[in-house]
Amino acid sequence: MTRSTLISRIFDTSRRSFRAAGLAGLLLGGAGLAGCGLQKDIDVELPAYPAQLVVEAYLENGQLPRISVTESVEYLAAPTPSVPTDVTATLTLPDGRREVLRFAPGQDRRTGKLYTHLGPRTLAAQPGQTFGLELTDTKGRRVTGSAVVPVLVPIDTVEWVFNDKPEAERRAYVLMRFQDPETPLDYYRFQIHRRRVNSNPEVEYTVEDRLSNGTEYTLGTGYDFKRDDTLVVSLYHLDRPYFQFLQSVQDARNANGNPFGQPSAIKNTVEGGLGVFTVLSYQRRQVIVK
Amino acid sequence: MNLRFAFGLFFLASLLLPAVALAQARYTLSGLVKAAGTGETLPGATVAVPALGLGATADATGAYRLELPAGRYQLLVSFIGYQTLTRDLNLTRDQRQSFQLSEAGNELGEVVVQGSGTLKDKLQTTQMSVERLTAKEAKLLPALFGEVDILKTLQLKPGVQNGGEGTSGLFVRGGSADQNLVLLDDALVYNPSHLFGLFSVFNPDAVQSVDLYKGGFPAQYGGRLSSVVDVKLRPGNPDKIGVSGGIGLISSRLTLEGPIKKGKGAFLVAGRRTYFDVFTRQINKLNQDDPDFNPIPDYYFYDFNAKANYKLGEKDELFLSGYLGNDAFSFGSGQGFNFNFNWGNRVAALRWSHAFNSRLFLNTSASYTGYKYEISNKLDQFSFNLASDIQDVNLRSDLDYRPGNGQHALKVGITATAHRFGTGRLRAGSGDGRLNLGSDISYLGQEGAVYVSDVYNPSEKWQFEAGLRASGFQSGGQQYGGLEPRAAARYAVSPTVSVKGSYALMYQYVHLVTNSGASLPTDIWYPSRGSVQPQRSQQVAGGVSWLLGDGRYLITNEVYYKWAQRQIDFKDGAQLFVNPDLDSEFLFGKGWAYGNEIYLEKKQGRTTGWLGYTLAWTKRRFPPQRGTSGINNGDTFYPNYDRRHNLTAVVIHNLSERVKLSGSFVFSSGQATTLPLGRFAFQDIYGSDASAVPIYPQRNTYRLAPYNRLDLGVVWQMKPTRWFPESDLTFSMYNAYNRRNPYFVYFDQVKDEQTEQVTSYRARQVSLFPVIPSVTYNFKF
């Protein structure tokens, strides 16, 4: 039987809709918040918050290791980036060798990402191998993490279907199929970019195989694409810590400004600081919607 | 807990009681006290024999009982707001005698406010920590959008907090909203709110009264930790067909009542529906050609209440109560996205009341209650349906016995409930049938209890109440149970001063699954099973009551301490929807609550009302467990309904024969809330602009600004006309001085208008309701 997990996306849509529904419902009897002067700036006194090291490290097979190390700040602090310059980053390879990543801030042209530390050589990462990361600074802070390379889950098919509207309004939805492995606790991130992958994707959501492990999955979009659109469809296979980190980031963002939201602590994949250390395992297909 | 022993105890008591009854010699006078015209029973009415200095107070069903030696007597039947009735009686045998009291009208210059009898009754009863409100009383007070809500009125009583601006949820003495046992004519109601908690499901036209027990719980109640909200529907008019209703700002109500058969029974059917969807649809229609217009979602709710009673004979009467309510929300973007969300309760209860004799009564009932929500979502060709429900079937039997010496009031009972928990049903698929996914998770559970209790009056000074409840629950092959002792005592220091104390232990076997911090329609109920064990709490309370001003004022001071084990919360980011392993998402901890409640009330005269002040603390602690650091890193924290100070004042003044003024004022300390203390920049795997991620290292460490609000109301009774002999206009001014009370606070980015660059961050406070005037027209014929 063909299986689909639109669930995460629809859950996500439902959550957003539900919040919108709740707030809209509340507002029906009253009036628009801003329109009635029901919002105002206030001064808040927050307890002191000590800065922590924040790492974003996404290793990829065949790529130079590039990681970014920043610092968290008090929420109402000035929006100036806080980049510590005294952090030593050391990568532990699967064979136990340790490589120091040098502090060399720059921008990765391929992904558009800013980084602070750069590895000396391209990485060879095979599924099942474990990498380690250690950050230390002159203040005595130490952040550690390890990451296992997920197996590659290939994309089986990418197809699209146009609706019946006149040509000027005709749009297509895209379906991507893949086979979920028999192993439990698999997580996926589905993205569709237009042309290039170094910007925000057009479509993005995460799914898990909790409800139907080991079956064929079909991930889809709405009627979002026109004829001749060039799309890059990506399927990332995530491990559980990275998936939970992404979820917690989303939950933490949603809690700010949502009276019904419960604040969510960030589920870091590293210890001693904040952030994520993982090895990316993904497959991409470029298609032109004809 | 040995359930077999408890059942044995119950049946032994059942067998022994009639034998004890035969040994009594004095005669019993019993019956009902009702309002003439409406047939409404009058709980708290007094039936007195002045010659003997004896009297009795009608209970919650309006029934009274008096033990008297044979002889001729003059009886006085009285109740606040009604004309006192005098009757001669020759008592030669056990006798049933009912009375009907006529309303006092305005010649007494009193506001007609019912209460739990007189303040003197309240002084003398052993029962403490209980508040009674009638719909009549609630209707005199100003209300949000003019929608009278008896649960929201209870929030004006000391020891009761609300869950947020305008919401009807009750947080009683540090308990959460799911720890209230909400009963409608003895049948459980799982989600007693409409419109995301803004209104309760109880139509004020159909409700007679509500009793809120905050502590000292009688043994017949169980299954929830923190409170009992016992709502009684009003019986229909037994004498004539009547129609009443109201037209308000957002809803209209209509009630039909009348006799089923003269002298045999009566019925009442009440319905209401909101109608802002009528207006929003028109607005959407007018703007359908505007591409920039966002359609307003469609929302309405309706509910129906029904009650019927029928006398089968001198000793038997049947009562049938029902509730049906639904909320419907829908949204269509016009761009392939449709969202429908429906939720509602169904409640039905059939009760048979049998009087073996004038001292022994049996009430047996069967009830059904169900709550369901369903979300249907359509996104282009994909459809999605999520639903959850809970259904209960309950049987219960209660035996009341009052021996002839008048020193005891015994009660024994048994109850059994079959639960079905549909914690998640999911259907997802595509229109072409190529995609199809489903999941259905449900559990069964059985709950039972037996209890015995006695109110013992050894002397004028002392009165004791002792009870024992044995409860049990099973689900998934696991059994739980426990003994729940209840005790209360009253000592009359003087005719005007009483000292009271109480103790109660409670178990809760079903749990609300929510991590929203508020009660929402999507909340799921989950049984005790697996690692989820029953919640347990104990409460001790002590107080003193002092009758002042010739019985016109009663001042009560109560202190309480409550401690609870196996309290539940959820992991950060818990997956609560359609999770077959929901058990693993729970976290368990402890809770404490303590405080002092001062309450001054006045129930007679042209000006009535009350003043309440509560000083309270509520704390919770969830230590590290299940691979998490617990909540708040395992440190003690305040839940968001913790309020240090809470002051309420309610005044109702009878200005003239036709005009009543009312006002209520609330002040409470700021709500505990969680704000992010820090943030970090997150780029993610693609190279877009970094965005800020909030960091919440602590729970509820920030306090919103204090809350205060004044509401004003006027009830103007209009001159009788041929068609509408009774009608009034009720004006309400919610938040009269237009205070911007905080609803929540969030952090926002400030951007440069030209460059769109973030220049700073700021804190924003959102308020929900400004001043809201409203008018409601009520009629009756």
Side-chain angles (χ1 to χ4, degrees), chain B residues 554-566:
Chain B
L554 181 72
I555 185 164
T556 302
N557 189 62
E558 288 190 12
V559 292
Y560 66 90
Y561 184 81
K562 183 158 73 177
W563 62 106
Q565 294 87 38
R566 301 195 288 267

Side-chain angles (χ1 to χ4, degrees), chain B residues 359-377:
Chain B
R359 297 183 188 119
L360 189 61
F361 299 86
L362 178 70
N363 278 288
T364 302
S365 64
S367 64
Y368 163 85
T369 184
Y371 173 74
K372 180 182 180 183
Y373 80 79
E374 185 167 14
I375 295 172
S376 304
N377 209 335

Side-chain angles (χ1 to χ4, degrees), chain A residues 41 77 189 210 223 253 260, chain B residues 380 516 578 679 684 691 764:
Chain A
D41 288 358
R189 191 174 188 183
R210 182 167 54 87
Y223 285 103
R253 283 174 171 155
F260 301 125
Chain B
D380 295 331
S516 66
V578 199
R679 61 176 158 80
D684 211 336
S691 58
R764 301 275 286 165

Side-chain angles (χ1 to χ4, degrees), chain A residues 79-80, chain B residues 748-752 755-761:
Chain A
T80 329
Chain B
D748 193 18
Q749 296 175 337
V750 180
K751 290 185 176 177
D752 184 285
T755 64
E756 282 291 301
Q757 291 295 310
V758 178
T759 56
S760 63
Y761 289 85

